[in-house]
Amino acid sequence: MSKGERAGTRMHMLTRDDIISASLKLVDEEGLNALSFRALGKRLGVSQTAFYRHIPDKAALLDGVSEKIWRQTLERLLATTAPGAETRSSAESWHSVMLSYARTLRRTLLAHPNAVELVLTHPIATARSFSLIAQVLVAFDAAGFQHPDHMLALFTSVTVYTTGFAAAEAAPPAGGEVTSPLAGFNEALSSMSPADRQALEGLVGQVMTGSWDFSSQFEVGLQALLRGWDTENRDMS
């Protein structure tokens, strides 16, 4: 088989999932700016025209990569919260389900830091992504999970909090490398009066002692968001 024939065979064997998976791998390895049909074609050994019957343009390609992140997150969530899952507790409620969702989403995003910006700016938009969310919500209902009013608003709030936190934690800085925030913080501390430093210790002592931790801070904010949800929604009703 000639080189052209082999390329043609690969072109016809490619599926949408193959293309999206290769795209996410490219983003993981080289960054979001490196993603293009040309780069993807070079990586897969096909011409750019091989993609167009599955994915018509760059916008659809980006939506597909975002969809892949959501699929990884929601399938993992379904595996751990569906009826009969080993990890499910008989007392499980919407609170524990949303904790599991946020932790699963954060873990997925941290595994693909170069794609966090994409998820932030390309919210759930494809039919496949909406179908997955529907499966998750229906599974929760079928399992008898308690859930509050305004479930969609809760889901959105937890998603925005988690995605934004992951972006602050791991997304590559826009424009390239930046100076460590601690460098500026330590410089500011050195010019403060002892009284001001003492007052600051009561507010951001963990940062000053170097014990500030992303994971624990994520949990603090997440727990506060969920604890306040019932109160806020009772006021809205």
Side-chain angles (χ1 to χ4, degrees):
M1 185 180 292
S2 69
K3 182 177 180 180
E5 289 172 329
R6 288 196 298 271
T9 300
R10 284 195 296 271
M11 180 184 301
H12 289 292
M13 291 177 63
L14 276 178
T15 66
R16 180 181 184 276
D17 286 342
D18 292 334
I19 297 167
I20 297 303
S21 294
S23 298
L24 179 56
K25 186 175 181 181
L26 191 155
V27 170
D28 285 341
E29 295 175 358
E30 301 183 33
L32 188 58
N33 290 337
L35 180 60
S36 68
F37 283 124
R38 176 174 294 183
L40 201 54
K42 185 175 181 181
R43 175 170 288 229
L44 294 175
V46 298
S47 69
Q48 297 180 53
T49 58
F51 307 125
Y52 295 138
R53 64 174 176 157
H54 298 292
I55 302 172
D57 52 35
K58 179 71 175 289
L61 181 63
L62 293 173
D63 282 341
V65 175
S66 179
E67 174 196 296
K68 181 79 172 180
I69 299 292
W70 285 111
R71 178 170 293 277
Q72 291 179 358
T73 299
L74 296 175
E75 286 181 347
R76 289 167 184 165
L77 183 64
L78 276 171
T80 58
T81 58
E86 292 181 5
T87 57
R88 187 188 166 195
S89 163
S90 59
E92 202 154 19
S93 67
W94 70 266
H95 189 279
S96 58
V97 169
M98 295 311 296
L99 282 174
S100 179
Y101 164 63
R103 291 165 181 165
T104 301
L105 176 57
R106 176 172 174 262
R107 187 163 58 248
T108 304
L109 291 172
L110 294 184
H112 304 285
N114 289 336
V116 175
E117 179 186 352
L118 178 61
V119 176
L120 271 170
T121 56
H122 285 68
I124 295 172
T126 68
R128 295 186 185 197
S129 296
F130 280 117
S131 177
L132 267 175
I133 290 178
Q135 289 178 44
V136 170
L137 296 177
V138 168
F140 292 166
D141 186 67
F145 291 123
Q146 299 175 10
H147 58 80
D149 294 334
H150 311 291
M151 189 65 186
L152 181 58
L154 171 61
F155 187 88
T156 301
S157 297
V158 172
T159 298
V160 171
Y161 169 76
T162 304
T163 310
F165 201 100
E169 184 175 3
E177 295 298 323
V178 296
T179 303
S180 169
L182 287 179
F185 183 76
N186 291 330
E187 183 179 348
L189 283 179
S190 66
S191 64
M192 284 184 179
S193 68
D196 287 346
R197 285 179 62 98
Q198 185 175 3
L200 198 60
E201 285 177 4
L203 300 171
V204 293
Q206 287 180 309
V207 177
M208 296 173 70
T209 60
S211 58
W212 195 92
D213 174 74
F214 269 110
S215 294
S216 61
Q217 294 301 313
F218 173 75
E219 290 292 327
V220 168
L222 178 61
Q223 294 281 1
L225 190 160
L226 296 180
R227 282 197 305 271
W229 191 261
D230 271 339
T231 301
E232 289 297 319
N233 279 272
R234 279 196 295 270
D235 292 343
M236 290 169 59
S237 298

